[in-house]
Every structure is written in C-alpha cells, then in structure tokens.
Amino acid sequence: MTDQGRAPLFSILTPVYDTPLNALTDTIASVLAQSFEDWELILVDDLSPNPQVRRVLHDAALRDSRIRVIERSANGGIVAASNDAIQAARGEFLALLDHDDLLTTCALESVAAAIGSRGDVDYVYSDEDKVADDGKYFDQFDKPDWSPERLRGQMYTGHFSVLRAEIVRNVGGFRTEFEGSQDHDLVLRVTEQARQILHVREVLYHWRVVPGSTAELTDNKPYAWDAGVRAVDAHLARVGIAGHATHGPVPGTYRIEREPDLDKSVSIIIPTRGTAGEVWGKQRVFLVDAVKSVLETTRHRDLEIVVVFDADTPSDVLAELAELVGDRLTLVPFFGPFNFSRKCNEGFLAARGEVLLFLNDDVQAISDEMVGNLIAPLNEPDVGMTGAMLYFEDGGIQHAGHLHHMGQFSHAYLGEPKGTYGAFSSLLVNREASGLTAACIAMPREVFQEVGGFSELFPGNFNDVDLSKKVTQSGYRLVWLANVELFHFESRSRNPLVHSFEEKMIIDRWAGPQRDPYLA
C-alpha cells in the first residue's frame, strides 16, 4: 500500500458521468488489481443523474484509502471534471483512465519500469485493444513508437496516456474549447515540452465498446472531429509550422496542409537511360513523360532538372527533354557499369539546389503541387527525408513507406488496392517511417552530405534502405506523406533481380530488423 504521508507515483484520473454500474465497478476493480501499488485513484463525479453511481464510488473509497471521490455540484463536462482531478492529484505522473474502460493487471508496473529506465521521461503511452460486452478482446492496436507527424494526423497515442504532472499543470491542463478532443490537445501540448517520450509495446488498456461511443463508431461525435482540427491547427501555430489542419478522409483523421516554399532551390535528380515502353496501352518515353508530369503538377519557381544519362540514351530523348525544360536542365553523362547509387551521387555533385529530390524516370506525378508538398516538411530541422505514396500501373500500392520487420526489408502494404485505409487509418495520414524508397525522396542538401550520400556498394537494391538507416542513425525523422501521390511503373528499364550479395550486405551492415517501430 502507498504510504499516505507521501505522494504516490501515479494519480489515476477518472471523470465519471452516469456510467453503467457494472462497467464502473469493473473499471475500479481493474485499478485495485494492479500489481504496482504506488497509486491513487481520483474519481470525479460530474453530477451523475443516477444516485447509484455515487454510491458505487463511495463504497470503493471505503474499501481502499487510495481511492478519493470528488463530487461536483454542477455538470461541467469532461474537461471541467478532469481539471478537478488534476487539481486534486498528488502523484508525480497523471494516468488517464475513462470511466468504463479497463487496465491490465500489469499496466502501472510496465509504465513504472519505462519511467525508471531513464530520468527524463515525461510522457508514456501503450498499445491497446477493445473489449466487447461479452468480455472478448479484439481490434488490438500495436502502436508505432513516438511519431510526431502521425500525432498531427491522428490521436494515435490515445489510451493509455501517462503524463508528468508538472508539465500538465505548466501547459494549463485540459481546455474547454477542445472538448471532445481534449486528450489530443493536451498530449500535443505536453509532447511539445516533453524531454523523453516512451512507447510501451504491450496492451495495457482495454477500451470498452458501448453503443454510441467513439470506440464503436468514430463518427458518433462529429463535434470531436471539429475540435481535433482546431487542436492540431493550434499546435502547428505553436511549433512554427506554416500551414493548417483540415478534416482527413475519415473521422478522427486530419490532413496537414503546409504552405509550400515555391522559391526554395530544388534540384530533381533523375538517373536514366532514356527507355521507352507501354503503359495503359500507349507508348511513352518514361523520362520525358515523368518530367512533364512533374512540371504540370507544380508551380515551383526555382527548379533544376538534373538528368544523369547512360551513353546509350537516345539523343532524340535528350533533345525532346531540352525543349521541354529549357535552361533549367543540367545533363550529366554517366560511364561505366550500371550503379544506381553512383548515378544519384554524380547527380548530386552537379546539382545546385539546397533541396535534392531524387526521382526515378519511370514515375508519373498525379497529386497537386507534388514538389512543394514533398519538400515542405523539410523546413523542420529534425526531418531528414520525405517520401510519397506510389502506385503500380494497375493502381495497387507500390510504396507507403518501408517495413523493416522480422528480418526483412520490404514495402508496407505492397500490392494493396488504392483507397485502402491501412491498419488504424495508417495510409490516410502522414507518418514517420523506417525507410523510404529512392524512387521518390526529398532531402536537404546538408543532410545528404552529412550521411555520405548513397553507398555505391549497393548498385541496384537496398541502397535506399541503407540511406534511410544512415539518416535515422544521424537523428533525423523520415516522413511519409499520404497526400503526395505518383504512379511508379517499376523496373521498366532495369532487371529487378535482387542478388544474394546485396541481401547479405544489407543484413551484415544493419542486422536483421526484429520489430518495425512504425509497424501499424
């Protein structure tokens, strides 16, 4: 039991309003069953119309002195009740628990271990699942590790949130103007200040599905979606990101529309041999059509096209390209055996832009302002690389970020149909990724130089895996952008064969990945 003369480690905050009695009893029982005992539970009744609710609360407080009950004299909503709980809390950390949900027996113990692993932890969250009326668990959400870009697009950390009390009070607690998305707003503000954010890769929380709840249907509370847009918008303003938030494709998701800097110097580097082929029943010269699609989908004013071409590239292809691009074209002849990495590096040496955009010649830009939207997140100093959503010719997903998992380096959602939501809407929002395909990536020039560019030890495959690893090892985030879209007519000009030496080399260099930190 907690020594009542000192503050506990955790204050569990639970606003209560007209909760079904059996659910409320189960919630309290899940706290009493904790293997870690250094806690207090603060139950704030927001003037529930059913008097039996308060009886359940007071009976619980009589059974265990760590349970404290606050009775509000007027119904004020979840924000007011939660702030009452914050004011009364004595714990070093505040744990948010809804009045009808359940903690696993080891929830606080696991979080305490995470906090104890280092001295600067200010926010901890865990995986979760849902629990039905019959007690069955389903819909397990194995969340990504800390992913600030995803949090802007979706309140993914959700349950189970444990926050350092000092920071919560410093940022002003919950705010009434964000009722419905008050947790999202608070976590955004806390994580802006937090020194260390940890993800416990265990299900510590069971989210109860009851009729009308957001666990059952995300569109049951449209006001919450509106409040979420305002919360993310306010966050963007606080952290200095030029842009605004809008409603995402489905309730509970948000699109971040950054203001593109159309005057930033960008060099688009394209390795090619000038191949032609058939797409959708029509012949095309891949390089020319790729560049044409980029120019048609951008208003960028300072754009250089750097084309690294093999000796056997048809001269009429280069002539057509020169007519299309004019004085923005830089041609770089390439000699020797095929080496994609070396071609990209030689393109970099000839490029003048402060941002480098590497592009395969067999792509077609389809989203508006592809260049501006792709490079916009690079204005944040900790973003080292951005990538796009790529589709095969038939509309299937070719790239939605790399998946570095279970000893394999692959593409997330490879072959899934266009329009797929992904696990927990992961294809609908921007998010961090473990790696990005070199078929379409943007990087600040100084980051490319810092990590040494592409490794020429990887001439055909895994060069982008290696580059991604080097960028993340240098402390930068990789951001995949859901709303930057291109077709990628993959391997139209080269044999896609993966050689065994390449596979061995990437494993030897980086070891086989066990769990992708951005799996979902």
Side-chain angles (χ1 to χ4, degrees):
M1 290 290 185
T2 302
D3 180 350
Q4 293 302 304
R6 65 173 181 82
L9 181 63
F10 297 111
S11 293
I12 304 168
L13 313 184
T14 303
V16 177
Y17 181 74
D18 209 24
T19 320
L21 299 183
N22 62 333
L24 180 58
T25 301
D26 289 346
T27 297
I28 296 170
S30 77
V31 176
L32 291 169
Q34 289 300 298
S35 57
F36 185 87
E37 297 186 339
D38 192 8
W39 55 263
E40 65 177 355
L41 172 61
I42 301 176
L43 298 159
V44 181
D45 182 65
D46 196 24
L47 198 62
S48 296
N50 181 0
Q52 295 299 317
V53 169
R54 295 196 184 199
R55 180 172 297 179
V56 169
L57 301 183
H58 285 292
D59 285 349
L62 288 173
R63 291 198 307 273
D64 194 304
S65 60
R66 294 172 295 179
I67 298 177
R68 299 160 60 196
V69 177
I70 298 172
E71 298 184 16
R72 289 183 52 82
S73 59
N75 177 261
I78 192 170
V79 168
S82 298
N83 282 336
D84 285 353
I86 292 172
Q87 186 175 3
R90 300 181 303 132
E92 185 179 354
F93 287 87
L94 308 179
L96 309 183
L97 172 64
D98 283 358
H99 62 167
D100 53 1
D101 293 340
L102 304 171
L103 296 180
T104 65
T105 303
C106 66
L108 294 182
E109 182 179 359
S110 295
V111 174
I115 292 169
S117 67
R118 51 187 304 157
D120 58 351
V121 177
D122 291 325
Y123 179 50
V124 182
Y125 64 97
S126 78
D127 297 340
E128 66 184 55
D129 61 19
K130 295 185 176 73
V131 58
D133 282 342
D134 60 4
K136 291 182 179 178
Y137 303 120
F138 66 102
D139 213 11
Q140 181 170 319
F141 186 5
D142 295 323
K143 299 175 186 175
D145 288 350
W146 174 231
S147 181
E149 185 67 20
R150 183 159 182 177
L151 187 63
R152 292 166 186 150
Q154 176 188 43
M155 176 42 173
Y156 83 89
T157 61
H159 312 103
F160 176 43
S161 277
V162 179
L163 313 97
R164 188 175 291 275
E166 180 183 7
I167 296 182
V168 171
R169 294 190 173 103
N170 286 346
V171 301
F174 292 98
R175 300 194 290 183
T176 56
E177 60 266 42
F178 300 100
E179 183 107 26
S181 284
Q182 70 282 340
D183 286 10
H184 196 181
D185 171 62
L186 177 63
V187 169
L188 284 167
R189 286 180 288 127
V190 166
T191 54
E192 291 163 17
Q193 306 294 327
R195 295 164 297 170
Q196 187 67 219
I197 299 161
L198 295 182
H199 166 219
V200 177
R201 295 175 176 180
E202 303 174 49
V203 172
L204 302 183
Y205 195 98
H206 305 302
W207 189 5
R208 188 183 297 274
V209 176
V210 296
S213 74
T214 50
E216 181 190 38
L217 291 172
T218 55
D219 57 358
N220 273 323
K221 298 179 180 178
Y223 71 92
W225 197 12
D226 294 338
V229 171
R230 297 196 303 274
V232 177
D233 230 14
H235 159 76
L236 297 177
R238 286 192 303 271
V239 300
I241 294 177
H244 64 280
T246 64
H247 294 92
V250 300
T253 65
Y254 310 98
R255 279 284 166 88
I256 311 305
E257 297 183 359
R258 291 173 168 87
E259 294 177 10
D261 182 355
L262 301 179
D263 292 310
K264 179 166 286 189
S265 61
V266 176
S267 294
I268 300 179
I269 299 170
I270 309 175
T272 191
R273 62 188 304 188
T275 307
E278 185 178 290
V279 174
W280 301 314
K282 294 183 178 179
Q283 282 291 119
R284 66 165 56 201
V285 176
F286 290 108
L287 171 65
V288 174
D289 283 355
V291 173
K292 188 179 299 183
S293 74
V294 170
L295 298 180
E296 288 174 349
T297 56
T298 187
R299 295 169 289 123
H300 210 81
R301 290 184 283 268
D302 190 351
L303 204 60
E304 176 190 32
I305 309 294
V306 179
V307 173
V308 184
F309 65 97
D310 288 4
D312 60 353
T313 301
S315 57
D316 58 336
V317 171
L318 297 179
E320 186 177 359
L321 189 65
E323 185 176 349
L324 175 66
V325 177
D327 60 6
R328 292 180 293 180
L329 178 64
T330 298
L331 292 175
V332 181
F334 180 83
F335 303 99
F338 173 75
N339 188 312
F340 178 86
S341 297
R342 185 179 154 211
K343 293 183 83 169
C344 289
N345 289 340
E346 293 196 9
F348 155 72
L349 292 173
R352 61 171 178 79
E354 57 183 305
V355 173
L356 310 173
L357 200 170
F358 294 95
L359 205 63
N360 278 18
D361 67 351
D362 54 353
V363 301
Q364 177 176 315
I366 55 177
S367 58
D368 184 52
E369 196 48 64
M370 187 275 286
V371 174
N373 288 329
L374 188 65
I375 72 170
L378 299 176
N379 289 330
E380 297 165 55
D382 64 338
V383 177
M385 187 189 298
T386 58
M389 170 71 93
L390 303 182
Y391 303 107
F392 288 117
E393 180 181 353
D394 64 3
I397 293 172
Q398 189 269 327
H399 180 76
H402 282 165
L403 188 64
H404 298 176
H405 192 64
M406 299 298 288
Q408 299 292 321
F409 299 100
S410 59
H411 294 280
Y413 299 102
L414 183 67
E416 292 290 320
K418 186 176 182 180
T420 300
Y421 285 9
F424 301 93
S425 301
S426 61
L427 292 178
L428 304 182
V429 297
N430 299 344
R431 53 183 169 78
E432 276 69 20
S434 294
L436 298 166
T437 179
C440 179
I441 53 170
M443 300 177 66
R445 184 183 193 90
E446 61 268 23
V447 173
F448 188 81
Q449 289 176 299
E450 178 184 342
V451 303
F454 286 92
S455 172
E456 296 178 14
L457 295 173
F458 297 96
N461 297 284
F462 303 119
N463 35 57
D464 47 11
V465 172
D466 181 72
L467 181 65
S468 296
K469 288 287 190 182
K470 291 192 293 186
V471 172
T472 55
Q473 288 287 315
S474 297
Y476 297 100
R477 293 187 288 127
L478 310 184
V479 176
W480 175 83
L481 300 167
N483 59 342
V484 177
E485 298 175 294
L486 303 90
F487 282 106
H488 182 201
F489 314 115
E490 190 176 32
S491 301
R492 290 292 187 141
S493 59
R494 291 288 173 185
N495 187 337
L497 175 67
V498 177
H499 296 284
S500 58
F501 82 88
E502 295 171 308
E503 290 184 303
K504 183 178 186 304
M505 193 183 309
I506 196 69
I507 295 296
D508 287 348
R509 183 171 246 194
W510 295 108
Q514 295 306 306
R515 183 192 190 277
D516 193 299
Y518 308 109
L519 177 62

